[in-house]
Amino acid sequence: RKEVEQDPGPFNVPEGATVAFNCTYSNSASQSFFWYRQDCRKEPKLLMSVYSSGNEDGRFTAQLNRASQYISLLIRDSKLSDSATYLCVVNSGNFNKFYFGSGTKLNVKP
Amino acid sequence: GAVVSQHPSRVICKSGTSVKIECRSLDFQATTMFWYRQFPKQSLMLMATSNEGSKATYEQGVEKDKFLINHASLTLSTLTVTSAHPEDSSFYICSAKRTGTSSNAGELFFGEGSRLTVL
């Protein structure tokens, strides 16, 4: 079983739409969670960390559900510039390894 | 923000040759660096964890004799792909976690990646 699983998409949405991605993880001892954004042929960049209480940064909201072992990312009012692949990242229980989901591709259309 | 530099960004080599990729943390010390490989349209796969002053820890299925990792200082880790074959062609990315951050803190800082093509 993969450490982290994501729906690869693509999610094709119009500008202004709200879109949500989920990501499940297998290690119940995982301690920290992140969403990264990767543009084509570029390195991943941190979008936001995911806290137990959930967190919001502008149009982006991240949630953690430990009971069901998933994290989510909600993007409101999608912009064309949001088009990218969103990677779910989970830090393993021993704190020193980061595992990536396969990424969810988002295409925001005009 | 912290910067990680990776070199070379692109390399083409003949089958059977070895290629070395360098990963440097430019403005922070990194006791631990990670090496990932990414095939087209797939996610980053952790290959190994590079530990300064000790042996690297390899993920299951990654040949340690083929992918040699050296972490000689707190700012430099190298990955050498030995006797490269066309199936080793991939995007290799290193990342580093700043030394001194708490164990559950998180951000990884990534190098720009190295695209290896083996002919």
Side-chain angles (χ1 to χ4, degrees), chain B residues 1-6 23-30 33 74-76 96 98 109 112:
Chain B
V3 177
V4 174
S5 175
Q6 193 172 335
C23 179
R24 293 181 186 273
S25 56
L26 296 184
D27 56 356
F28 68 101
Q29 293 183 330
M33 291 185 176
L74 286 170
T75 59
L76 174 65
R98 193 193 300 260
F109 298 97
E112 305 93 330

mmCIF file of all heavy atoms in Angstrom, chain B residues 1-6 23-30 33 74-76 96 98 109 112:
data_model
loop_
_atom_site.group_PDB
_atom_site.id
_atom_site.type_symbol
_atom_site.label_atom_id
_atom_site.label_comp_id
_atom_site.label_asym_id
_atom_site.label_seq_id
_atom_site.Cartn_x
_atom_site.Cartn_y
_atom_site.Cartn_z
ATOM 1 N N GLY B 1 14.300 33.351 2.057
ATOM 2 C CA GLY B 1 14.073 31.933 2.309
ATOM 3 C C GLY B 1 15.290 31.119 2.008
ATOM 4 O O GLY B 1 16.220 31.570 1.351
ATOM 5 N N ALA B 2 15.285 29.921 2.526
ATOM 6 C CA ALA B 2 16.420 29.037 2.325
ATOM 7 C C ALA B 2 16.533 28.645 0.867
ATOM 8 O O ALA B 2 15.549 28.528 0.155
ATOM 9 C CB ALA B 2 16.250 27.801 3.191
ATOM 10 N N VAL B 3 17.760 28.428 0.436
ATOM 11 C CA VAL B 3 18.003 28.094 -0.957
ATOM 12 C C VAL B 3 18.822 26.820 -1.045
ATOM 13 O O VAL B 3 19.800 26.641 -0.318
ATOM 14 C CB VAL B 3 18.746 29.235 -1.677
ATOM 15 C CG1 VAL B 3 19.053 28.846 -3.111
ATOM 16 C CG2 VAL B 3 17.913 30.506 -1.644
ATOM 17 N N VAL B 4 18.391 25.966 -1.933
ATOM 18 C CA VAL B 4 19.133 24.745 -2.236
ATOM 19 C C VAL B 4 19.490 24.787 -3.706
ATOM 20 O O VAL B 4 18.636 25.010 -4.553
ATOM 21 C CB VAL B 4 18.290 23.490 -1.916
ATOM 22 C CG1 VAL B 4 19.012 22.230 -2.365
ATOM 23 C CG2 VAL B 4 17.975 23.427 -0.434
ATOM 24 N N SER B 5 20.751 24.593 -3.979
ATOM 25 C CA SER B 5 21.226 24.633 -5.356
ATOM 26 C C SER B 5 21.611 23.240 -5.812
ATOM 27 O O SER B 5 22.299 22.506 -5.091
ATOM 28 C CB SER B 5 22.433 25.565 -5.451
ATOM 29 O OG SER B 5 22.982 25.535 -6.752
ATOM 30 N N GLN B 6 21.174 22.876 -6.997
ATOM 31 C CA GLN B 6 21.462 21.550 -7.527
ATOM 32 C C GLN B 6 22.144 21.710 -8.882
ATOM 33 O O GLN B 6 21.760 22.549 -9.697
ATOM 34 C CB GLN B 6 20.152 20.761 -7.669
ATOM 35 C CG GLN B 6 20.331 19.294 -7.913
ATOM 36 C CD GLN B 6 19.006 18.542 -7.859
ATOM 37 O OE1 GLN B 6 18.048 18.967 -7.217
ATOM 38 N NE2 GLN B 6 18.946 17.416 -8.551
ATOM 39 N N CYS B 23 24.174 18.651 -4.623
ATOM 40 C CA CYS B 23 23.085 19.365 -3.963
ATOM 41 C C CYS B 23 23.696 20.167 -2.818
ATOM 42 O O CYS B 23 24.303 19.593 -1.909
ATOM 43 C CB CYS B 23 22.058 18.360 -3.445
ATOM 44 S SG CYS B 23 20.653 19.088 -2.587
ATOM 45 N N ARG B 24 23.529 21.472 -2.861
ATOM 46 C CA ARG B 24 24.110 22.335 -1.846
ATOM 47 C C ARG B 24 23.043 23.189 -1.168
ATOM 48 O O ARG B 24 22.199 23.771 -1.844
ATOM 49 C CB ARG B 24 25.134 23.289 -2.464
ATOM 50 C CG ARG B 24 26.371 22.635 -3.006
ATOM 51 C CD ARG B 24 27.335 23.659 -3.581
ATOM 52 N NE ARG B 24 28.461 22.989 -4.214
ATOM 53 C CZ ARG B 24 29.555 22.617 -3.581
ATOM 54 N NH1 ARG B 24 29.686 22.852 -2.290
ATOM 55 N NH2 ARG B 24 30.531 22.007 -4.227
ATOM 56 N N SER B 25 23.112 23.262 0.129
ATOM 57 C CA SER B 25 22.281 24.228 0.846
ATOM 58 C C SER B 25 23.121 25.494 0.964
ATOM 59 O O SER B 25 24.231 25.489 1.481
ATOM 60 C CB SER B 25 21.884 23.687 2.226
ATOM 61 O OG SER B 25 23.021 23.337 2.979
ATOM 62 N N LEU B 26 22.586 26.596 0.463
ATOM 63 C CA LEU B 26 23.410 27.792 0.309
ATOM 64 C C LEU B 26 23.449 28.682 1.542
ATOM 65 O O LEU B 26 24.427 29.375 1.776
ATOM 66 C CB LEU B 26 22.922 28.604 -0.897
ATOM 67 C CG LEU B 26 23.056 27.910 -2.255
ATOM 68 C CD1 LEU B 26 22.641 28.847 -3.369
ATOM 69 C CD2 LEU B 26 24.474 27.396 -2.474
ATOM 70 N N ASP B 27 22.401 28.718 2.295
ATOM 71 C CA ASP B 27 22.397 29.645 3.434
ATOM 72 C C ASP B 27 21.930 28.995 4.721
ATOM 73 O O ASP B 27 21.510 29.679 5.654
ATOM 74 C CB ASP B 27 21.547 30.872 3.113
ATOM 75 C CG ASP B 27 20.132 30.497 2.712
ATOM 76 O OD1 ASP B 27 19.846 29.286 2.608
ATOM 77 O OD2 ASP B 27 19.318 31.397 2.518
ATOM 78 N N PHE B 28 22.011 27.677 4.770
ATOM 79 C CA PHE B 28 21.695 26.995 6.019
ATOM 80 C C PHE B 28 22.407 25.651 6.028
ATOM 81 O O PHE B 28 22.859 25.167 4.999
ATOM 82 C CB PHE B 28 20.184 26.813 6.190
ATOM 83 C CG PHE B 28 19.543 25.852 5.208
ATOM 84 C CD1 PHE B 28 19.234 24.548 5.581
ATOM 85 C CD2 PHE B 28 19.240 26.259 3.918
ATOM 86 C CE1 PHE B 28 18.646 23.674 4.679
ATOM 87 C CE2 PHE B 28 18.650 25.392 3.014
ATOM 88 C CZ PHE B 28 18.352 24.095 3.399
ATOM 89 N N GLN B 29 22.502 25.085 7.197
ATOM 90 C CA GLN B 29 23.139 23.771 7.325
ATOM 91 C C GLN B 29 22.061 22.693 7.305
ATOM 92 O O GLN B 29 21.004 22.850 7.918
ATOM 93 C CB GLN B 29 23.942 23.703 8.628
ATOM 94 C CG GLN B 29 25.131 24.633 8.633
ATOM 95 C CD GLN B 29 25.957 24.490 9.895
ATOM 96 O OE1 GLN B 29 25.441 24.156 10.947
ATOM 97 N NE2 GLN B 29 27.252 24.740 9.792
ATOM 98 N N ALA B 30 22.370 21.633 6.627
ATOM 99 C CA ALA B 30 21.397 20.549 6.472
ATOM 100 C C ALA B 30 22.031 19.229 6.877
ATOM 101 O O ALA B 30 22.808 18.649 6.118
ATOM 102 C CB ALA B 30 20.902 20.484 5.022
ATOM 103 N N MET B 33 19.615 15.414 4.014
ATOM 104 C CA MET B 33 19.114 15.764 2.690
ATOM 105 C C MET B 33 18.432 14.539 2.117
ATOM 106 O O MET B 33 18.741 13.411 2.497
ATOM 107 C CB MET B 33 20.247 16.227 1.773
ATOM 108 C CG MET B 33 20.846 17.572 2.160
ATOM 109 S SD MET B 33 22.076 18.109 0.941
ATOM 110 C CE MET B 33 22.484 19.732 1.582
ATOM 111 N N LEU B 74 27.957 19.666 5.964
ATOM 112 C CA LEU B 74 26.599 20.069 6.334
ATOM 113 C C LEU B 74 25.895 20.845 5.228
ATOM 114 O O LEU B 74 24.730 21.208 5.376
ATOM 115 C CB LEU B 74 26.636 20.914 7.614
ATOM 116 C CG LEU B 74 26.903 20.127 8.885
ATOM 117 C CD1 LEU B 74 27.157 21.075 10.057
ATOM 118 C CD2 LEU B 74 25.731 19.216 9.213
ATOM 119 N N THR B 75 26.603 21.100 4.142
ATOM 120 C CA THR B 75 25.970 21.862 3.062
ATOM 121 C C THR B 75 26.033 21.170 1.712
ATOM 122 O O THR B 75 25.605 21.733 0.709
ATOM 123 C CB THR B 75 26.629 23.258 2.924
ATOM 124 O OG1 THR B 75 28.024 23.069 2.652
ATOM 125 C CG2 THR B 75 26.451 24.082 4.189
ATOM 126 N N LEU B 76 26.569 19.963 1.670
ATOM 127 C CA LEU B 76 26.730 19.312 0.383
ATOM 128 C C LEU B 76 26.429 17.828 0.447
ATOM 129 O O LEU B 76 26.964 17.097 1.286
ATOM 130 C CB LEU B 76 28.163 19.504 -0.133
ATOM 131 C CG LEU B 76 28.534 18.742 -1.423
ATOM 132 C CD1 LEU B 76 27.712 19.243 -2.606
ATOM 133 C CD2 LEU B 76 30.024 18.886 -1.702
ATOM 134 N N ALA B 96 16.329 19.486 1.258
ATOM 135 C CA ALA B 96 17.013 19.594 2.537
ATOM 136 C C ALA B 96 16.076 20.182 3.569
ATOM 137 O O ALA B 96 15.211 20.993 3.253
ATOM 138 C CB ALA B 96 18.258 20.459 2.406
ATOM 139 N N ARG B 98 16.142 22.193 7.168
ATOM 140 C CA ARG B 98 17.084 23.011 7.917
ATOM 141 C C ARG B 98 17.414 22.359 9.251
ATOM 142 O O ARG B 98 16.526 21.963 9.999
ATOM 143 C CB ARG B 98 16.483 24.389 8.148
ATOM 144 C CG ARG B 98 17.470 25.436 8.631
ATOM 145 C CD ARG B 98 16.727 26.655 9.136
ATOM 146 N NE ARG B 98 15.899 27.256 8.113
ATOM 147 C CZ ARG B 98 16.252 28.323 7.412
ATOM 148 N NH1 ARG B 98 17.437 28.877 7.593
ATOM 149 N NH2 ARG B 98 15.433 28.837 6.529
ATOM 150 N N PHE B 109 13.232 22.241 1.503
ATOM 151 C CA PHE B 109 13.675 23.158 0.464
ATOM 152 C C PHE B 109 14.279 22.328 -0.666
ATOM 153 O O PHE B 109 15.153 21.497 -0.430
ATOM 154 C CB PHE B 109 14.698 24.134 1.042
ATOM 155 C CG PHE B 109 14.129 24.983 2.141
ATOM 156 C CD1 PHE B 109 14.311 24.633 3.471
ATOM 157 C CD2 PHE B 109 13.393 26.114 1.856
ATOM 158 C CE1 PHE B 109 13.766 25.397 4.492
ATOM 159 C CE2 PHE B 109 12.850 26.891 2.865
ATOM 160 C CZ PHE B 109 13.029 26.528 4.191
ATOM 161 N N GLU B 112 16.723 22.647 -7.790
ATOM 162 C CA GLU B 112 16.001 22.887 -9.037
ATOM 163 C C GLU B 112 15.790 21.609 -9.845
ATOM 164 O O GLU B 112 15.044 21.584 -10.813
ATOM 165 C CB GLU B 112 16.742 23.905 -9.913
ATOM 166 C CG GLU B 112 17.031 25.227 -9.211
ATOM 167 C CD GLU B 112 18.407 25.233 -8.558
ATOM 168 O OE1 GLU B 112 18.898 24.155 -8.129
ATOM 169 O OE2 GLU B 112 18.993 26.316 -8.470
#
